[in-house]
Amino acid sequence: MKWRRFYAIFHKEALHIVRDWRSLMMALAVPLMLLLLFGYALTLDVDRIPTVIYDQDQTPQSREVVQRLRGSRYFQIVEAQGDYPKIIDRINRSTALMGVVIPNRFAHKIEANEEAQIQILVDGSDSNTAGIGAGYAEALIMAYAQELREARMIRQGMSRPKFPIDARVRVLYNNEMKSRNFIVPGLIAVILMIIAALLTSLTVAREWESGTMEQLLSTPVRPTELLLGKLCAYFVLGMFDMGIALFVGVGIFGVPLRGSTLLLVSSGALFLFGALCWGIFLSTVTRSQLLAYQLSLLSSFLPAFLLSGFIYAIENMPVVIQQFTRIVPARYFVSILQGVFLKGIGFSLLWTDMLFLLIYGGLIFSLAARKMRQKMA
């Protein structure tokens, strides 16, 4: 390989990127738009659940339950109904996700040391929110019941009960339990995969459609020089996109970066190289920009979004799907991003993920060069 020919291809592709302002704006604006959109709109936090309350008892004890629900950040009391069917109507209209019904004789049963029940109605169409919200409500009511029990025992001259087990929970790495700190690092991997694969998947196919590939075939340029020249031009653009993503994630969303920035950039370069190679490979296989675009969208966005652990935990997937995720490069980069951002771990624990990204990029580039060599023969 001669560097002169490589630089000529690199310079040609760089000029094409700069002059094609539509593609350039897409490459620069889409990462920023996706980060802002997903960062603000996509959240896994369950709080401020719209709740309707029906207090049939109207006693100090029942009003204390209502007051505790109002004071919790997990519930937003939208209305205090006086009719049971209206609660169901609000849930059917999706203006409330939960209903709390305090029955008659609630306080009387508490004073008589009998079991006092509270009904919790949850909209199960959103199973995740329903399960978490019901757990929050049950924990709040159980805490109030425990306080009533302790107060009764103290009034009777008994000592405060002691439980044999005291669970002390300590949350590591994400103390505030913000889903944004989990989502934004993974989103960087998804954005790089999409941008890299989409842009490079069109570059060789565009040469075939415009008729300039025949001119390149008549030059001494070799397949490796052609692919590397095109790839490096988009590599510079991709690293600039990664810089934008890191700035937005750390500067705007306040995601903590506890690990090495150099390690993060190095792993990002490996991942970006593999993503660009995959786009180049698709572009050499197909001679149609439309087909290359569709294939890159299906093979880059969907696996990176669904099978990387970005949103859905891989451990909860079927065994067959778990094994399939092992060939998805975004899975390893998401693991690196979360480890460097939140845990602050170093190369000694992440070298296997980085090794896979290196092998993946080299393998896909070899396949792309071989395919291009066959077409140029």
Side-chain angles (χ1 to χ4, degrees):
M1 186 181 80
K2 291 188 176 181
W3 291 104
R4 183 178 179 182
R5 295 196 293 258
F6 159 76
Y7 178 76
I9 297 297
F10 170 78
H11 185 257
K12 166 189 172 298
E13 201 65 29
L15 288 177
H16 179 80
I17 293 174
V18 173
R19 292 172 180 175
D20 187 4
W21 64 270
R22 294 182 180 87
S23 298
L24 183 62
M25 288 301 298
M26 183 186 73
L28 298 178
V30 168
L32 180 61
M33 181 186 68
L34 288 178
L35 272 171
L36 294 176
L37 179 63
F38 280 89
Y40 283 114
L42 181 61
T43 177
L44 303 179
D45 299 331
V46 179
D47 55 6
R48 300 184 62 81
I49 302 171
T51 305
V52 180
I53 295 179
Y54 180 20
D55 184 3
Q56 298 178 351
D57 200 42
Q58 295 295 329
T59 57
Q61 289 84 349
S62 66
R63 284 192 288 269
E64 176 65 20
V65 175
V66 174
Q67 189 60 34
R68 295 197 176 207
L69 289 170
R70 290 184 184 276
S72 174
R73 70 181 181 91
Y74 300 111
F75 305 98
Q76 180 182 9
I77 309 304
V78 295
E79 191 174 354
Q81 290 285 1
D83 188 1
Y84 195 97
K86 290 182 180 179
I87 299 178
I88 306 300
D89 181 68
R90 292 297 296 267
I91 294 178
N92 290 338
R93 294 176 182 272
S94 298
T95 56
L97 295 178
M98 181 180 296
V100 178
V101 180
I102 305 176
N104 287 320
R105 299 175 59 82
F106 174 74
H108 175 76
K109 291 183 178 181
I110 291 178
E111 294 299 330
N113 199 20
E114 299 178 3
E115 184 182 74
Q117 298 180 347
I118 294 179
Q119 186 178 34
I120 301 174
L121 305 172
V122 185
D123 184 0
S125 58
D126 186 353
S127 59
N128 181 64
T129 303
I132 297 176
Y136 288 156
E138 185 177 1
L140 185 146
I141 293 172
M142 293 301 295
Y144 177 58
Q146 181 60 32
E147 291 182 14
L148 292 176
R149 179 187 176 188
E150 293 179 359
R152 182 183 303 110
M153 295 180 68
I154 292 174
R155 286 198 305 268
Q156 295 174 355
M158 302 172 62
S159 61
R160 186 184 301 272
K162 294 183 179 180
F163 295 94
I165 300 176
D166 183 14
R168 302 289 181 93
V169 180
R170 179 187 175 191
V171 179
L172 302 177
Y173 310 124
N174 189 7
N175 300 334
E176 299 178 350
M177 298 290 288
K178 290 183 178 179
S179 62
R180 182 179 297 173
N181 293 342
F182 170 80
I183 290 175
V184 172
L187 188 59
I188 295 176
V190 176
I191 290 175
L192 287 182
M193 189 70 188
I194 296 173
I195 294 300
L198 289 183
L199 290 179
T200 53
S201 64
L202 304 178
T203 176
V204 177
R206 183 175 57 242
E207 300 282 3
W208 287 110
E209 288 189 352
S210 61
T212 56
M213 180 58 74
E214 286 76 6
Q215 300 176 6
L216 290 174
L217 295 178
S218 62
T219 64
V221 177
R222 298 178 179 178
T224 303
E225 298 166 346
L226 176 64
L227 295 181
L228 276 179
K230 288 179 172 294
L231 187 146
C232 287
Y234 289 100
F235 182 83
V236 174
L237 183 60
M239 291 302 293
F240 188 77
D241 285 337
M242 184 177 179
I244 295 176
L246 291 177
F247 172 77
V248 174
V250 177
I252 296 180
F253 292 114
V255 179
L257 179 56
R258 299 189 174 99
S260 170
T261 305
L262 178 61
L263 178 62
L264 184 63
V265 174
S266 302
S267 59
L270 289 176
F271 175 74
L272 182 62
F273 175 75
L276 291 171
C277 289
W278 178 250
I280 286 284
F281 174 71
L282 293 178
S283 192
T284 56
V285 172
T286 62
R287 295 193 177 189
S288 169
Q289 292 189 70
L290 178 60
L291 181 58
Y293 177 84
Q294 293 173 341
L295 288 176
S296 64
L297 188 63
L298 290 175
S299 60
S300 62
F301 174 73
L302 293 181
F305 193 85
L306 299 177
L307 303 177
S308 64
F310 163 54
I311 293 294
Y312 308 105
I314 296 177
E315 295 78 11
N316 298 334
M317 298 179 183
V319 177
V320 176
I321 303 299
Q322 290 185 31
Q323 299 304 318
F324 181 76
T325 60
R326 295 183 182 276
I327 63 174
V328 178
R331 167 184 175 170
Y332 300 92
F333 189 46
V334 167
S335 177
I336 294 174
L337 286 168
Q338 293 173 353
V340 174
F341 265 97
L342 300 180
K343 300 180 181 179
I345 57 181
F347 179 77
S348 60
L349 297 178
L350 298 175
W351 70 271
T352 53
D353 294 332
M354 297 182 68
L355 179 61
F356 174 86
L357 295 178
L358 179 62
I359 295 175
Y360 172 81
L363 178 62
I364 299 300
F365 181 80
S366 300
L367 293 176
R370 181 180 179 182
K371 192 68 177 179
M372 178 59 68
R373 194 176 297 110
Q374 293 175 355
K375 290 189 175 183
M376 295 180 67

